[in-house]
Amino acid sequence: MSQKSFALRFISGKYQGGEFPLRMEREIIIGRSGDLDMVLVEDMVSRKHAKIMTTGGDLVISDLGSTNGTFVNGEKIKSGRLKEGDRILIGTSIIKVITVDGHSQLVSDVEARARLEAQSQRRQSTQGRPMSGAIDEIPLPDLLQLLTTSRKSGVLSIRGDRGVGRIYLRKGQIYYASIDENFDTPPRKALFRLLAWESGTFELEPPDERDVLEEIKESAEALLMEGMRQLDEFNNLKIKLPRDNAPLELPKPLQAPLSSLAPAELDTLQSAWNAGSLRALLDRSRLSDLETATALLKLIQEGYLTAR
């Protein structure tokens, strides 16, 4: 049985769209110096940045004491094994380990380097940003883990069918987020909504130094963990919720006692009355989507609201 053949596919950065084959039983040196196996010409890449060894069917990556570090799946590494699907961050390049057919192995190192450089020139000629790509290729939680762990600064702009999201980063700290510049939605809530987006393009823009009214103070790690927890729980509740546009109404007469409601439930009841539908309620509520949905289900089950 033949061994798998691997390659490195650039899914973000200056060389996005390019591929570099990995040959069995050898190593490649990655860095800015022009005499290396894989040359990445950008300021954040060290002269000799990292190496990847392929031996006995295993892939091993090692950092070579680079200034800005080498990251695999969001973790800064000194050395570690790679597998298909792993994502490597070097400079502004996000590189995915993929399997390829044997024909890719026939490309010489010289030709592979020339193809990468040609891809870089094409990206520059079409005004490609240094760090951009598709969240279809790298899910937003994974991308944010890479950016926060490597202490990036800037504004991550995400464009998709649901609108335009912006996530503000300062040395790896997520301090603000918005969707369609809607400043009525709390930044933490906007961030958690963005984590659910599964398609669209992203671009890391320069830092925006404008003042924001409400900064997020939690650590990036805590935010992402809580955001993914809430997303999973909200998705589990979704099958029990009314349709997005289903009218929400108070029964007449209202039999259930208002005094039995907790403050958050009472606020949700009033917001539902004013909003009129699930989608409008989720948008207007100052609570997270999960907290709002949980309170809404209780209100419907206990007779405070009806949904048609």
Side-chain angles (χ1 to χ4, degrees), residues 94-108:
I94 300 175
I95 309 164
K96 186 176 183 180
V97 179
I98 62 170
T99 55
V100 293
D101 59 44
H103 295 293
S104 299
Q105 302 295 309
L106 302 177
V107 177
S108 69

Side-chain angles (χ1 to χ4, degrees), residues 202-213:
F202 70 84
E203 181 179 303
L204 185 62
E205 300 171 346
D208 186 336
E209 300 301 335
R210 80 175 83 174
D211 292 331
V212 296
L213 294 175

Side-chain angles (χ1 to χ4, degrees), residues 12 17 27-28 34 50 62 65 80 104 112 136 160 183 195 224 257 273 287 292:
S12 173
E27 69 177 32
I28 63 166
S62 302
S104 299
D136 311 65
F183 302 113
L195 294 179
L224 292 176
W273 188 11
L287 301 175
T292 304

Side-chain angles (χ1 to χ4, degrees), residues 71-86:
F71 299 82
V72 177
N73 299 329
E75 292 188 15
K76 191 173 186 178
I77 59 97
K78 290 185 177 179
S79 182
R81 293 186 182 276
L82 294 172
K83 63 184 183 302
E84 182 181 1
D86 282 349

